[in-house]
Amino acid sequence: MRVSDLGMSNGYDIHTHSSFSDGTTSVNEIAQEISRLGLRGFSLTDHDTIVGWDNAREAAESFKVDFLPGIEITTKFDGLSRHLLAYGIDANHVEIFKALDEVRASRETRIDRMVENLSVDFSFTLENILKGSDTVSLGRPHLADALIEAGYFANRSEAFDAVLHPDSPYYTTTTVLHTLDAIRLVRAAGGVPVIAHPAATRQDAPLPVESLQQFVEAGLWGIELDHPENRTEWLPGLEAAANEFNLVVTGASDFHGSGKSNRLGDRFSDVSVVERIREIVATPF
Ligand code: AMP
Ligand code: ZN
Ligand code: FE
Ligand code: FE
């Protein structure tokens, strides 16, 4: 929902990143800002990790906001990167965490390779960026920060546009889950799968409806149509499909601290969405 449509006091920002992945703020700062904005709660959806959940629960309690456990899983479908949000998975589900461990390990080898590639033309090191960091999920934003520190770029966006995008000669891919496998795993782990930013500007085209249909057949529950990076002109087709497939529509900011222009609470979901999630998941709080 857009801020103007609904009262923020019933709003949850259910897609946020902390310094445990590639956000620049702590979980505590996120909870504090959620409270300051007058939102009811938030979900922490760090990339491929739930390591921040315990801190987030504590922070939510101290700032008197509500916490919904979440994660954003890196997946691929038809050769394209597709991010899958998942809420309320069982933190002890062996199979999903074995898969996520592999995804994070692959992120590390991939970053090593990209450092090698970039080092041919850029003189920089990741050392300082990682020294002060609590990340367990390395990503290109950390490379961006290292290149910014070395003086090559002014912000992450510039670094992505110049050298970190998928068509860049410096780019290497990661081993990730197939989107359909990830959807099934999330369901098996008692979670609710929601496809993230299906019409994001960083993609060449919106998620095809035929792909969405396969996601639905695998168990997809929701679709993040209200996201600051979704392209408005790509939305009508996806809205019609979401309606046809009975998907729940979610909204969220995809906050990354100062790493992106997305502001916390820019977009949010109504409490009713969070209540529906809580009715069916293994870890509702
Ligand atoms: P990776 O996990 O290595 O594939 O990097 C993807 C992450 O980079 C996502 O979380 C995005 O939010 C972030 N990202 C992608 N493009 C940009 C950009 N132009 N500016 C800042 N962050 C970006
Ligand atoms: Zn990110
Ligand atoms: Fe994403
Ligand atoms: Fe995200």
Side-chain angles (χ1 to χ4, degrees):
M1 291 292 151
R2 285 180 157 280
V3 174
S4 53
D5 295 343
L6 274 169
M8 263 191 139
S9 58
N10 282 325
Y12 283 71
D13 191 337
I14 58 172
H15 184 167
T16 71
H17 297 269
S18 75
S19 50
F20 287 119
S21 65
D22 59 4
T24 63
T25 56
S26 68
V27 168
N28 218 54
E29 288 169 285
I30 294 175
Q32 182 171 24
E33 182 65 3
I34 289 286
S35 163
R36 197 191 65 79
L37 289 167
L39 283 156
R40 192 186 281 213
F42 71 105
S43 182
L44 181 71
T45 52
D46 276 318
H47 297 283
D48 304 311
T49 181
I50 64 161
V51 76
W53 282 9
D54 286 344
N55 275 331
R57 284 193 189 96
E58 281 171 33
E61 204 176 309
S62 56
F63 291 102
K64 305 213 165 21
V65 294
D66 193 28
F67 173 64
L68 174 71
I71 185 171
E72 184 173 20
I73 304 177
T74 314
T75 79
K76 214 177 248 187
F77 189 78
D78 278 350
L80 292 174
S81 173
R82 300 288 175 199
H83 286 179
L84 185 72
L85 294 162
Y87 300 103
I89 55 173
D90 173 1
N92 295 310
H93 191 270
V94 174
E95 205 189 338
I96 196 167
F97 288 101
K98 188 168 162 276
L100 290 168
D101 286 349
E102 285 169 17
V103 172
R104 286 198 317 281
S106 154
R107 282 178 166 278
E108 295 194 10
T109 34
R110 178 277 198 117
I111 290 297
D112 288 346
R113 253 186 256 135
M114 283 190 72
V115 167
E116 272 175 40
N117 297 348
L118 285 157
S119 293
V120 174
D121 296 316
F122 299 87
S123 172
F124 75 106
T125 168
L126 264 179
E127 205 181 307
N128 292 334
I129 302 301
L130 298 187
K131 205 164 49 192
S133 161
D134 42 20
T135 185
V136 299
S137 188
L138 274 181
R140 285 173 288 162
H142 300 104
L143 286 177
D145 291 346
L147 292 163
I148 293 164
E149 186 202 43
Y152 291 105
F153 303 106
N155 54 51
R156 285 182 177 181
S157 272
E158 272 188 19
F160 268 88
D161 291 348
V163 294
L164 299 178
H165 57 87
D167 299 322
S168 156
Y170 307 106
Y171 181 85
T172 49
T173 186
T174 43
T175 311
V176 298
L177 294 171
H178 189 275
T179 310
L180 298 180
D181 292 336
I183 290 169
R184 292 188 197 106
L185 261 180
V186 167
R187 285 291 192 175
V192 145
V194 173
I195 192 73
H197 44 70
T201 43
R202 67 183 97 121
Q203 296 156 194
D204 295 332
L207 174 69
V209 170
E210 307 80 69
S211 306
L212 186 63
Q213 179 159 14
Q214 290 186 57
F215 297 175
V216 169
E217 282 159 11
L220 190 73
W221 183 85
I223 181 165
E224 190 184 47
L225 289 182
D226 197 3
H227 181 284
E229 290 155 70
N230 278 340
R231 241 182 243 202
T232 319
E233 64 270 30
W234 285 347
L235 286 177
L238 286 168
E239 278 162 359
N243 200 26
E244 181 191 336
F245 300 142
N246 276 321
L247 290 169
V248 176
V249 171
T250 68
S253 73
D254 204 355
F255 178 69
H256 278 74
S258 60
K260 264 185 160 184
S261 58
N262 311 23
R263 293 299 87 204
L264 212 55
D266 263 2
R267 307 296 173 94
F268 56 85
S269 295
D270 188 67
V271 59
S272 57
V273 170
V274 174
E275 281 167 356
R276 287 178 69 182
I277 291 173
R278 285 190 166 139
E279 275 167 23
I280 49 181
V281 297
T283 314
F285 293 96

